[in-house]
């Protein structure tokens, strides 16, 4: 039934609702009075239109504006008329005589060219542009018709050159006469791209003449783009710039190919004669555009000599007219453009970069055919560095400086890239000695590094490149902000040069080893290198160690010297994270080499290797945190080497493992290395197991009890310190180590002592767990006791199972399932009863 409150409670509820409605009505009346006062105080305005219903929705908006539709229609009309004229000229031409043909084409062309005049007077500019375009297309058809009808015997290419020249002149004059039209003058400029190229082809000028024609055309386009400054001729400037880049690009590709493939000085000089004017044009254009951009208020102003704007970059660096060199990186340059920088800022830099590269390419083509044996690369590098001197020219725009600096940096990078193969052979070649250790000293240093790699020709020029770049970084860069980076880069390049020097000069093998050792010491102690310079010293020492593998005496001497060197260098705290592990690694290699030289067995050499982890344990606490971890990791690696050497001799392996356990226990004494105690326990256990295996002991209890007893003692000590520690973490591992392997062995054992002893021990553990109310001993002991009893009763259970009828197991299974089903149903019934009771309560 629906709940009904008593009358008094319902009356209180109704009174509260009425008070709430009265308060809301009062707020609405106050708001109405304020609105009426506002309307009465406002000035009179136009009467609001009567409400006629919802405002109709607006219709669909047009997707194209009227001027755009007009232009599309005019363009399509002009194109269709041009196609019709072409069809008439090419297809229907033969149906008329000579006079009729000339009259038709002349009349139509004259009408098309004259029609824009009245159209412009009427203000129909777009229509005039379309008709003018038709007239220009008809002049092309006139030229074709003239050749086909009257000059068919002349050379087609030469006639095309003359025709394009005449058409370009006529279109330019037409565009000048009708200044309001935008199409004729860009069209004249487009036609002017062809005369020189067609004339060169007609004259059979060859690749040099064709490239010259393309470059001359591009030069004229560049001049037009620079000289035409009127805003009304913006389309002319765009067409000229497009022609300059397009024709100039093809011409430069041809000239560069001719310079690269020049067979002699004469051909290289002719190619240079093409590239040098192009370079001058590009640099002039960059200078002019950079000046225009700097004077443009919308552009980014030039800040030559300002502290926040470097004047240039490169290996030598660039300098402004008043300040010192301030190169930010060894082979970098200021960015050509940032995401928000306008095109007028990046274009001068890119053009200056192109002009400087063309100048260097012309010089490089000459040097390639004059200088033999790859020496053109160092000479070209010197030219690229000398190019930076031009940056001191007064009033040189900042963007041109950046472009020239980028060009110099590109030459330096390419030269360095060409020298890297020599460094790679010198750096990785010594690794080939691993295949033939102690096979005898090589004839010279080059034979030592070319075991599996061929030697590179032109090694002398590559060494010169490394030396020039190192000197270029070390000498001219004087700015305090970049001086450390420049010196570090110079030192790295000098290291690469000295590393490659023995093989390049074919120095004797012993001299090469000595030079590598001195280089290791020099790089390690060089003050200009940052702490990361120790990595270069480490790489050099690794090469020295592999090179020394060719000779036994050299190996022992080199490893001894490197061990002592890095041990002494570890006294410097900033070097210790690299030098301390390196000393331990070389000491490990020295121990192995000493054992091999003495003819010891590998297992006996393992005892000598144990000195290294012992030294790591002794030295690590005296080092800083980073060096300490690296030293301990290296000591652990040496311990693994010792274990690997002793693995073939069980007694020696047990001795090695126990010794390592002692070292781990000594490490665990330190408060910050308590976890090493687990490693010590594991090592002691392994040592005991290996010793038992050497004695041919097969009982698992002999292996597990030495672990169980200490584990139980540690668990008892832990529970005594922390009574909240559970029995599973305290006693579970120790009990499981013995009980589980013994239980597994029990099922394979046919004797009676093991079941008796295991059952007695399990019973004792169960009773102790019950006495002290500990879950782990109670569960483990009881489970093992039950399984042991089952093992002993298994034969009788099997006999009993054989005596049972075959229907008994299925019947027992059915009874079990019925019992489970009944239990499940009873619980569901109880749940329904509880649910119904809760429903009645509501």
């Amino acid at each position: 039934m629906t709940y009904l409150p008593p009358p008094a409670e319902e009356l209180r509820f109704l009174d509260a609702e009425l008070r709430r409605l009265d308060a809301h009505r009062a707020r609405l009346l106050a708001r109405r009075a304020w609105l009426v006062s506002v309307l009465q105080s406002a000035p009179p305005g136009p009467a609001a239109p009567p409400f006629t219903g919802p405002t109709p929705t607006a219709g669909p908006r047009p997707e194209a504006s009227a001027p755009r539709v007009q232009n599309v229609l005019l363009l399509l009309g002009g194109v269709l008329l041009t196609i019709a004229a072409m069809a008439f000229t090419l297809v229907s031409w033969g149906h008329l005589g000579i006079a009729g043909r000339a009259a038709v084409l002349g009349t139509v062309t004259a009408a098309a060219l004259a029609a824009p005049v009245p159209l412009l007077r009427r203000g129909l500019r777009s229509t005039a542009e379309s008709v003018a375009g038709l007239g220009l297309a008809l002049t092309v058809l006139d030229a074709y018709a003239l050749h086909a009808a009257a000059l068919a015997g002349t050379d087609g290419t030469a006639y095309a050159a003359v025709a394009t020249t005449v058409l370009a002149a006529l279109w330019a004059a037409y565009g000048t006469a009708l200044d309001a039209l935008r199409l004729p003058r860009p069209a004249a400029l487009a036609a002017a791209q062809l005369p020189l190229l067609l004339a060169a082809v007609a004259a059979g000028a060859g690749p040099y003449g064709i490239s010259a024609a393309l470059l001359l055309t591009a030069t004229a386009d560049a001049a037009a783009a620079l000289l035409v400054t009127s805003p009304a001729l913006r389309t002319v400037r765009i067409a000229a710039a497009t022609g300059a880049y397009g024709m100039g690009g093809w011409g430069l590709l041809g000239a560069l190919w001719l310079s690269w493939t020049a067979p002699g000085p004469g051909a290289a000089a002719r190619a240079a004669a093409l590239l040098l004017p192009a370079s001058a044009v590009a640099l002039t254009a960059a200078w002019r555009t950079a000046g225009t951009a700097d004077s443009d208020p919308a552009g980014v102003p030039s800040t030559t000599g300002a502290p926040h704007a470097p004047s240039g970059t490169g290996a030598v660096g660039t300098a402004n007219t008043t300040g010192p060199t301030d190169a930010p990186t060894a082979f970098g340059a200021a960015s050509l453009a940032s995401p928000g920088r306008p095109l007028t800022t990046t274009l001068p830099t890119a053009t200056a970069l192109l002009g400087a590269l063309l100048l260097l390419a012309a010089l490089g083509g000459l040097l390639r055919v004059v200088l033999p044996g790859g020496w053109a690369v160092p000479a070209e590098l010197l030219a690229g560095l000398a190019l930076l001197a031009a940056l001191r020219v007064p009033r040189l725009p900042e963007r041109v400086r950046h472009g020239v600096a980028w060009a110099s940096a590109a030459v330096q990078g390419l030269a360095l890239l060409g020298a890297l193969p020599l460094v790679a052979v010198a750096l990785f070649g010594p690794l080939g000695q691993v295949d033939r250790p102690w096979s005898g000293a090589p004839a010279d240093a080059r034979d030592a590094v070319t075991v599996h790699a061929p030697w590179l020709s032109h090694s002398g020029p590559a060494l010169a490149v490394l030396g020039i770049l190192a000197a270029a970084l070390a000498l001219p860069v004087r700015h305090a902000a970049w001086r450390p980076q420049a010196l570090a880069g110079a030192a790295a390049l000098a290291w690469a040069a000295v590393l490659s020097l023995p093989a390049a000069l074919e120095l004797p093998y012993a001299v090469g080893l000595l030079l590598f050792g001195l280089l290791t010491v020099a790089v390690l102690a060089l003050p200009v290198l940052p702490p990361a310079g120790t990595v270069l010293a480490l790489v050099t020492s690794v090469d020295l160690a592999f090179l020394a593998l060719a000779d036994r005496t050299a190996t022992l001497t080199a490893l001894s010297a490197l061990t002592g060197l890095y041990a002494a260098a570890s006294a410097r705290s900033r070097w210790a994270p690299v030098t301390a592990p390196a000393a331990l690694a070389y000491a490990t290699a020295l121990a192995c080499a000493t054992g091999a030289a003495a003819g010891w067995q590998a297992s006996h050499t393992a005892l000598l290797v144990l000195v290294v982890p012992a030294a790591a344990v002794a030295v690590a606490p005296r080092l800083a945190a980073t060096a300490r971890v690296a030293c301990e990791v290296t000591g652990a690696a040496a311990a693994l080497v010792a274990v690997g050497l002793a693995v073939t001799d069980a007694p020696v392996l047990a001795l090695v493992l126990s010794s390592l356990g002692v070292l781990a226990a000594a490490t665990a004494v330190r408060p910050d290395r308590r976890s090493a105690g687990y490693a010590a326990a594991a090592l002691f256990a392994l040592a005991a197991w290996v010793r038992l295996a050497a004695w041919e002991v097969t009982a698992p209890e002999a292996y597990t009890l030495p672990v169980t007893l200490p584990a139980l003692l540690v668990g008892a000590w832990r529970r005594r310190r922390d009574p909240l520690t559970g029995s599973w973490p305290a006693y579970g591992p120790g009990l499981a180590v013995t009980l589980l392997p013994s239980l597994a062995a029990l099922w394979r054992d046919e004797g009676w002592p093991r079941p008796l002893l295991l059952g007695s021990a399990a019973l004792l553990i169960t009773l102790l767990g019950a006495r002290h109310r500990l879950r782990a001993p109670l569960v483990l002991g009881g489970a093992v006791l039950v399984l042991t009893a089952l093992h002993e009763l298994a034969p009788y259970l099997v006999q009993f199972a054989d005596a049972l009828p075959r229907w008994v197991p299925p019947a027992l299974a059915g009874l079990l399932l019925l019992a489970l089903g009944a239990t499940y149903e009873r619980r569901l019934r109880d749940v329904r009863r509880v649910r119904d009771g809760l429903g009645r309560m509501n």
Side-chain angles (χ1 to χ4, degrees):
M1 295 178 63
T2 304
Y3 172 77
L4 293 177
E9 182 178 356
E10 185 177 2
L11 180 61
R12 285 194 299 271
F13 174 79
L14 292 177
D15 290 338
E17 287 293 310
L18 289 173
R19 284 193 297 272
R20 186 180 63 81
L21 292 175
D22 290 339
H24 186 59
R25 183 173 183 274
R27 286 194 298 270
L28 293 177
L29 290 174
R31 179 67 177 175
R32 180 180 181 279
W34 180 82
L35 292 174
V36 169
S37 64
V38 169
L39 291 175
Q40 291 175 352
S41 61
F51 180 75
T52 58
T55 303
T57 58
R61 297 179 60 186
E63 297 182 357
S65 62
R68 184 171 299 178
V69 173
Q70 163 198 305
N71 293 334
V72 171
L73 293 177
L74 291 175
L75 177 62
L76 291 177
V79 170
L80 291 177
L81 288 175
T82 304
I83 294 175
M86 293 175 61
F88 171 77
T89 305
L90 299 176
V91 178
S92 302
W93 184 259
H95 299 290
L96 299 174
I98 296 177
R101 300 171 189 174
V104 170
L105 274 179
T107 303
V108 173
T109 302
L113 292 176
V117 176
L119 291 175
L120 288 174
R121 291 175 181 173
R122 294 173 178 264
L124 302 176
R125 180 174 177 178
S126 298
T127 306
E129 292 280 1
S130 179
V131 176
L134 174 62
L136 299 182
L138 289 175
T139 57
V140 177
L141 296 178
D142 289 339
Y144 170 77
L146 178 61
H147 180 266
L151 302 174
T154 61
D155 181 33
T157 306
Y159 176 79
V162 176
T164 51
T165 304
V166 174
L167 289 176
L170 291 177
W171 292 353
Y174 182 70
T176 304
L178 298 179
D179 189 63
L181 296 178
R182 297 180 181 178
L183 181 62
R185 279 175 289 198
L189 193 60
Q193 308 301 310
L194 299 177
L196 288 178
L197 176 62
L198 294 175
V201 173
Y208 288 94
I210 293 176
S211 298
L214 291 171
L215 292 176
L216 285 176
T217 304
T219 301
D221 291 333
L226 293 174
L227 296 177
V228 175
T229 57
S230 174
L233 300 178
R234 182 171 177 270
T235 56
V236 177
R237 295 179 60 188
I238 294 175
T242 304
Y245 282 104
M247 303 298 285
W250 286 109
L252 289 177
L253 286 178
L256 290 173
W257 175 255
L258 293 173
S259 177
W260 181 259
T261 58
R270 290 195 297 272
L274 296 175
L275 293 173
L276 290 176
S279 172
V281 170
L283 291 174
T284 303
W287 194 314
R288 289 289 301 271
T289 53
T292 303
D294 290 342
S295 62
D296 186 5
V300 179
S302 175
T303 54
T304 304
H308 63 278
S311 59
T313 56
V316 173
T318 62
N320 53 30
T321 58
T322 60
T325 303
D326 53 353
T329 56
F331 299 100
S335 174
L336 285 180
S338 60
R341 185 175 294 180
L343 182 62
T344 55
T345 306
T346 61
L347 186 60
T349 302
T351 309
L353 169 64
L354 176 63
L357 287 178
L358 291 177
L359 177 62
L360 294 174
L363 181 60
L366 291 172
L367 293 174
R368 186 184 61 83
V369 297
V370 173
L371 298 178
W375 287 99
V377 176
E380 181 76 1
L381 175 60
L382 290 174
L385 295 173
L387 183 64
L388 295 176
L391 301 182
R392 297 182 179 273
V393 174
R395 295 180 299 175
L396 187 65
E398 186 71 14
R399 296 174 183 85
V400 178
R401 294 174 186 270
H402 288 169
V404 175
W406 269 105
S408 178
V411 172
Q412 296 171 47
L414 291 175
L416 179 61
L417 190 64
L420 287 182
L422 174 66
V423 180
V425 172
L427 185 62
F428 299 105
L431 301 180
Q433 297 294 339
V434 177
D435 294 344
R436 49 177 193 177
W438 296 353
S439 58
D444 52 46
R446 181 176 296 183
D447 290 340
V449 300
T450 54
V451 178
H452 297 296
W455 183 248
L456 302 173
S457 59
H458 310 318
S459 57
L463 279 178
V465 165
L466 295 174
I468 292 171
L469 289 176
L473 280 172
L475 298 179
V477 181
R478 300 297 180 185
H479 196 279
W482 307 112
R483 182 67 176 170
Q485 292 86 338
L487 290 178
L493 290 170
W495 168 82
V498 177
L499 189 73
S500 309
L501 188 63
L505 300 181
E506 296 184 87
L507 298 178
Y509 174 68
V511 176
L513 293 178
L514 180 61
L515 188 59
F516 270 61
L518 294 176
L519 181 61
T520 302
V521 175
V523 174
L524 194 61
L526 200 62
V528 298
L529 283 175
T534 54
V535 177
L536 295 181
L538 182 61
V539 171
T540 310
S541 64
V542 170
D543 276 347
L544 172 60
F546 279 104
L547 276 178
L549 277 179
D551 184 70
R552 178 184 303 178
T553 305
T555 300
L556 297 175
T557 304
L559 292 177
S560 301
L562 291 175
T563 302
L565 172 65
Y566 279 101
S570 299
R572 300 287 296 272
S573 59
R574 65 169 186 162
W575 294 344
V578 176
T579 56
L584 294 176
Y586 285 126
T588 304
L590 177 61
C592 296
T594 302
W600 294 353
Q601 297 180 3
S603 57
H604 296 164
T605 304
L607 299 176
L608 184 60
V609 176
L610 285 177
V611 177
V612 178
V617 171
V619 173
R622 297 176 175 82
L623 301 176
T626 306
R628 185 185 308 134
V629 173
C631 185
E632 290 171 347
V633 170
T634 309
L640 291 177
V641 173
V643 172
L645 292 173
V647 74
T648 58
D649 193 337
V652 177
L653 179 59
L655 178 60
V656 169
L657 291 173
S658 60
S659 301
L660 293 176
V662 172
L663 295 177
T667 304
V669 174
R670 291 158 45 194
D672 58 337
R673 292 292 185 268
R674 297 298 188 192
S675 58
Y678 298 104
L683 289 170
F684 282 131
L686 288 174
W689 292 349
V690 172
R691 173 54 63 182
L692 291 172
W695 288 337
E696 299 181 356
V697 175
T698 58
E701 291 78 9
Y703 295 87
T704 58
L705 285 176
V707 178
T708 295
L709 295 177
L712 292 177
L713 292 176
V714 171
W717 173 75
R718 182 178 178 185
R719 278 182 58 84
R720 185 175 180 180
R721 292 190 60 187
D722 185 8
L724 297 179
T725 303
S727 62
W728 280 110
Y731 302 119
L735 294 175
V737 165
T738 293
L739 292 178
L740 297 182
S742 298
L743 183 63
L746 174 67
W747 290 90
R748 300 191 305 268
D749 192 358
E750 299 296 336
W752 60 270
R754 187 186 301 276
L756 178 61
L757 295 175
L758 181 60
S760 301
L763 177 61
L764 178 61
I765 292 171
T766 304
L767 294 176
L768 289 175
R771 170 68 178 79
H772 297 284
R773 288 182 290 181
L774 299 176
R775 186 176 299 174
L778 185 63
V779 173
L780 287 174
V784 173
L785 182 60
V786 171
L787 292 175
T788 303
L790 287 176
H791 174 268
E792 294 302 310
L793 295 176
Y796 303 104
L797 294 177
V798 171
Q799 293 177 5
F800 178 73
D802 291 338
L804 288 175
R806 295 296 178 90
W807 56 268
V808 173
L812 294 176
L815 290 175
L816 176 62
L817 294 177
L818 287 176
L820 292 176
T823 303
Y824 189 72
E825 183 181 9
R826 186 178 68 252
R827 293 183 177 178
L828 286 178
R829 183 194 62 193
D830 295 340
V831 171
R832 293 193 193 98
R833 186 177 299 170
V834 172
R835 184 190 62 188
D836 294 340
L838 293 175
R840 287 193 299 272
M841 291 175 65
N842 189 27

